[in-house]
Amino acid sequence: MVTVQIKARFEAVFADFFQYIAKMIETHPLVQEPPHAALWRRSDRRAQAFRPSVHAELVVLFGLRGSARYFIDGQVVALGLGSLLFAWAGVAHFLVSDEPDFDMWVALVSDRFAVGLPTVPPVAGGGLASVHQLDPKAREELDLLAGQVRAMPEALGPGLGWWLIRAWHHWQAAPEGTGRALHPAVDRAARALRRSPDLPLSDLAREAGLSPGRLGQVFAREMGQGLVAFRTAEKLARADQLIRARGLDLLNAALEAGFGSYSQFYRAFAARHGVSPRAFYSGT
């Protein structure tokens, strides 16, 4: 969990992190209240813009699932699982289109958030923005940390600062671009599981066009996690949406999301987030 120790580490160790943010305020600000930063998921706010806008904040986008097309810096880039994009302030950008199941973390950071903190170095001298593709371990870290930050709004400042540091570290270490397409069978299987997480393996393999054993191998290689883990992640995401968007209680959200029992949901949730569902959502 985000702690005072993490805040101290954040301020002491990364003395070179926010160098570029201090130059950012040029246009209309979107986050004007302390801590002058925000973090949410696309599934929390599904508003759609129809033309580019220019923000006074640094925007960080981190893809969780599905796919989308994003306009930035005069180019259209693909966003999907593990995509990480830093959009500097003053750059025109907007979400062109996304699939119904697309989701991502969105962070907005103003220059006020950077006061007294280390700064992000400029990327390629302020050149064109680019998407970098994170490996499974980095994806898991950023997703888990973002969930913890969102669950503790009182620690948004140090929590989001630490998340940005880790995101910037992984962005620098990751290869550029999202050009490599998923194996067609994996893409079909992932889409089918997003529609119906409880789809039997035999039906899933038939829809994907591979044998069950071969599908399992290819899926794990392409997605960085097995079919069982992917099913569980989809059910947890569905339960999260039911709780936040529809206000369902934990039990009914768990059952409607496809878990066989509350205890099954509890175990899966605690394994992923490190806390109980009740403790997690009591802070939202």
Side-chain angles (χ1 to χ4, degrees):
M1 299 300 292
V2 179
T3 63
V4 174
Q5 288 77 17
I6 286 180
K7 179 181 179 182
R9 184 180 178 189
F10 162 58
E11 295 178 344
V13 175
F14 294 89
D16 61 346
F17 186 73
F18 282 138
Q19 181 180 351
Y20 193 73
I21 295 180
K23 304 175 183 178
M24 290 197 316
I25 294 300
E26 299 175 359
T27 56
H28 64 282
L30 295 180
V31 284
Q32 303 185 53
E33 300 296 327
H36 305 291
L39 177 70
W40 70 90
R41 280 174 58 158
R42 164 70 175 160
S43 53
D44 297 335
R45 308 180 187 180
R46 297 207 64 87
Q48 179 70 54
F50 296 97
R51 61 180 177 82
S53 60
V54 180
H55 299 163
E57 291 86 6
L58 167 69
V59 181
V60 184
L61 308 178
F62 171 47
L64 297 175
R65 60 178 180 168
S67 63
R69 295 169 64 241
Y70 202 82
F71 174 90
I72 182 168
D73 251 356
Q75 60 182 325
V76 176
V77 298
L79 298 179
L81 175 67
S83 300
L84 183 61
L85 172 66
F86 278 74
W88 306 112
V91 172
H93 58 94
F94 80 114
L95 187 65
V96 177
S97 64
D98 62 341
E99 295 182 341
D101 64 345
F102 176 69
D103 204 1
M104 65 179 171
W105 285 106
V106 180
L108 282 179
V109 182
S110 79
D111 66 338
R112 294 187 182 184
F113 184 77
V115 173
L117 301 177
T119 59
V120 177
V123 178
L128 292 178
S130 61
V131 178
H132 286 199
Q133 193 68 21
L134 304 191
D135 61 41
K137 185 176 180 180
R139 296 198 306 257
E140 178 72 18
E141 178 192 343
L142 288 188
D143 187 20
L144 179 60
L145 180 56
Q148 292 173 343
V149 172
R150 186 174 67 168
M152 300 179 63
E154 71 280 2
L156 176 62
L160 181 53
W162 178 245
W163 186 85
L164 284 167
I165 285 174
R166 297 305 298 159
W168 180 247
H169 168 77
H170 290 308
W171 190 92
Q172 292 178 303
E176 181 178 339
T178 58
R180 188 179 68 84
L182 283 176
H183 188 291
V186 173
D187 184 53
R188 288 192 293 269
R191 290 172 183 271
L193 286 175
R194 287 168 186 144
R195 293 193 305 268
S196 178
D198 287 322
L199 192 66
L201 179 58
S202 57
D203 294 344
L204 183 64
R206 188 179 307 111
E207 185 162 341
L210 295 177
S211 69
R214 179 58 178 161
L215 175 61
Q217 294 173 350
V218 177
F219 194 96
R221 184 189 68 209
E222 294 278 308
M223 300 294 284
Q225 59 182 326
L227 285 166
V228 173
F230 189 85
R231 286 181 190 272
T232 301
E234 288 302 312
K235 291 179 183 179
L236 288 172
R238 183 172 295 187
D240 182 75
Q241 290 178 341
L242 291 170
I243 292 167
R244 295 182 187 279
R246 289 175 46 186
L248 266 63
D249 60 78
L250 295 177
L251 173 59
N252 285 312
L255 297 178
E256 188 167 331
F259 288 97
S261 65
Y262 181 78
S263 60
Q264 185 185 68
F265 167 67
Y266 183 99
R267 290 192 298 271
F269 192 98
R272 179 172 179 79
H273 294 284
V275 296
S276 70
R278 192 168 303 281
F280 185 90
Y281 287 109
S282 65
T284 59

